[in-house]
Amino acid sequence: MSLGYGNVARVFHWLTVLLVFSTIPIGWIMTQELPRPTQNLLFVLHKNLGVIILTVVAARLLWRFVSPPPPAPATLPALQRRVAMLVHFGLYGFLLLMALSGYVRVIAGGFPIESLNALGVPPLLAKNEPLADAAKALHATAIFGLLALIAVHVGAASYHGLVRRDGVLARMWPPLAPRKP
């Protein structure tokens, strides 16, 4: 059995990275003082990337259920294995929380999500300003938890890849690789 992740899991991982690392700066920039047409374009892009992230994360979790990840290397101390598992589930949780709170903020605020409208998906909530405000506050606060977990994840991967050189980083890098026997 290979100790590395398969190509489907790798593609899901790196696609998530690309989407999240695109949408975070867009989310920050769109809230700055900008010409209204530019700001509107960034809001549309951010909302629709959120829909894509939610879809990718849901598919990724389904894939993880159908094709469980390889076990952590036996050389990894038990505490590091537990922390890695908690960080991974925390990342999934925060990604879902960000996407869902963004959805609630937009729909309860009475705004469209253009990609869902184009697909004929009706809003799942009625306009509700207090709910929209609560979701906006949650979305604006939860980003810090997501960023912290991303920093821990990237730091740990870098430590294993650059310092320990123990093969942990190679389980997911490169994004596409032949499975080793």
Side-chain angles (χ1 to χ4, degrees):
M1 179 168 78
S2 170
L3 294 179
Y5 287 84
N7 282 337
V8 173
R10 288 174 191 235
V11 168
F12 274 137
H13 177 272
W14 292 105
L15 179 58
T16 304
V17 169
L18 177 67
L19 290 167
V20 170
F21 280 20
S22 297
T23 198
I24 289 173
I26 291 168
W28 181 77
I29 294 168
M30 73 187 195
T31 61
Q32 307 306 306
E33 291 295 323
L34 298 168
R36 195 64 195 169
T38 302
Q39 196 173 40
N40 287 344
L41 177 65
L42 293 174
F43 271 104
V44 168
L45 187 56
H46 186 77
K47 292 183 294 181
N48 290 287
L49 282 172
V51 171
I52 295 168
I53 290 171
L54 179 59
T55 304
V56 168
V57 170
R60 191 173 173 186
L61 285 168
L62 179 62
W63 180 254
R64 187 180 175 102
F65 178 76
V66 170
S67 179
T75 57
L76 206 61
L79 179 60
Q80 284 185 20
R81 274 187 255 133
R82 281 194 289 275
V83 170
M85 182 184 70
L86 290 173
V87 169
H88 283 112
F89 283 111
L91 285 166
Y92 284 120
F94 272 98
L95 289 170
L96 291 171
L97 178 64
M98 292 299 295
L100 293 173
S101 64
Y103 175 85
V104 170
R105 187 279 176 264
V106 169
I107 298 302
F111 301 103
I113 297 180
E114 293 75 9
S115 61
L116 295 179
N117 290 352
L119 294 172
V121 177
L124 299 177
L125 300 166
K127 186 171 180 176
N128 180 330
E129 287 299 329
L131 179 60
D133 290 343
K136 180 180 179 182
L138 178 60
H139 195 74
T141 304
I143 187 61
F144 295 107
L146 177 60
L147 289 171
L149 286 175
I150 289 171
V152 169
H153 185 66
V154 169
S158 299
Y159 170 72
H160 284 285
L162 301 172
V163 177
R164 295 218 33 213
R165 298 176 190 228
D166 57 6
V168 170
L169 177 62
R171 291 161 42 95
M172 190 57 79
W173 184 262
L176 290 172
R179 289 189 95 155
K180 296 175 185 167

